[in-house]
Amino acid sequence: MYKRILIIDDNVDFVEAMYDHVAPLVDITDTAYNVEEAIALIKENPFTLILLDINLNNRNGAEIVKFIHENETPNKETPVIILSGIISSTFVDHYQKRFAGILIKPFPPSELKEKIKEVFDKLPAEETPKETQVHDHHDDHPELHYAGPFEMDKLKEEVKGVLEHVKKNSKLKSLLKQVQVDRSADQYMKAHIGMLINISAAICAKMQWNSEKTIEKFVYASYLHDWALAMRPDLARINTFAKLDLLKDTLTEEDYQIVLDHPNIAAKQISDINEIPPDVDMMIKQHHEFGNETGFPSKCGYQKITPFSAVFIVAHTLTDYIIDNPKWTIEDFIKTNKSRLHGSHFTKIMRVLPELK
Ligand SMILES: [Fe+2]
Ligand SMILES: [Fe+2]
């Protein structure tokens, strides 16, 4: 059965840690960091389960429970698990029956997974909601195989070295100095990957996602996302569906299909490799999607874009913007891109961009 979960908590590190445990159990994991974001998501999307923190930036998670109770949303019957450090045993005794579970922070991840499993086991069997199903293009081209530009052992070493370097420095300006912004066509891939790593790491630092595990995901995603186009930098530069559409008549059918499917092809290739951390495949799969449904290949909107993917998409878009515009400024970037880098996780990322300078 298709499952979608919403994590609501104002602590970014906590959400990030929970995300790692929850994402493998469901099809889509959404996150909200405050009451407004949570309500916006609850109004629009049917969730299988909601994980709710009580203390939300001086507001109360109970507001969200009340909202669900009193309004017509697709979540009237959605079970809620409360996660909080400020719950008394009286509260637990009193409200036990109202919620699918109450976990007192800090709790071990195993306890959370156990609770989630319990809730899922009780769900009535029902049909997959079609409108929220993410279409997988994976199997449309099972016969396509591409040799990657890196051997896995070399890549592991490379990632380790890059991580050390990035950890020491998170200011975008100094990071950019370390990557030559070489705008010549044959250097595109190298400049693109190097800059993407640095910009992703700089955004992560501003979002206070400082764990090495997180940065590592971005380094892997940067190296591998255009894997299927490694030998075709000319095609890798086609970074929006609008551009691809415009060039359609000048491309062979095969080139057109490779561009359209390269995110899925790369995601599928790496899904069999144990060394790659979780989430990287989703970041790769979504690296050309946009919040306003104009990306490719799935044209999914911001509701389906994960927090890690959103950072990667912003970093990816900014990287190409810098490569394409020698006179780039963050302000111009925000102005030109705010309509497609919008919604849910994008809002917060776009807000920290001006601080990157
Ligand atoms: Fe790409
Ligand atoms: Fe790319």
Side-chain angles (χ1 to χ4, degrees), residues 225-226 262 287-288 316:
H225 70 288
D226 285 333
H262 78 275
H287 77 271
H288 287 291
H316 191 262

Side-chain angles (χ1 to χ4, degrees), residues 188-189 192-193 196 221-222 224-227 229 236-239 262 287-288 312 316-317 319-320:
Y188 169 76
M189 275 303 198
H192 180 70
I193 292 173
L196 188 48
S222 301
L224 297 170
H225 70 288
D226 285 333
W227 188 347
L229 302 174
R237 293 193 86 136
I238 306 174
N239 51 9
H262 78 275
H287 77 271
H288 287 291
F312 194 59
H316 191 262
T317 314
T319 296
D320 278 354

Side-chain angles (χ1 to χ4, degrees), residues 32-42 56 59 63-64:
Y33 299 97
N34 56 49
V35 174
E36 287 79 15
E37 278 176 13
I39 286 181
L41 284 165
I42 286 167
L56 291 169
R59 301 270 298 268
E63 290 178 54
I64 294 168

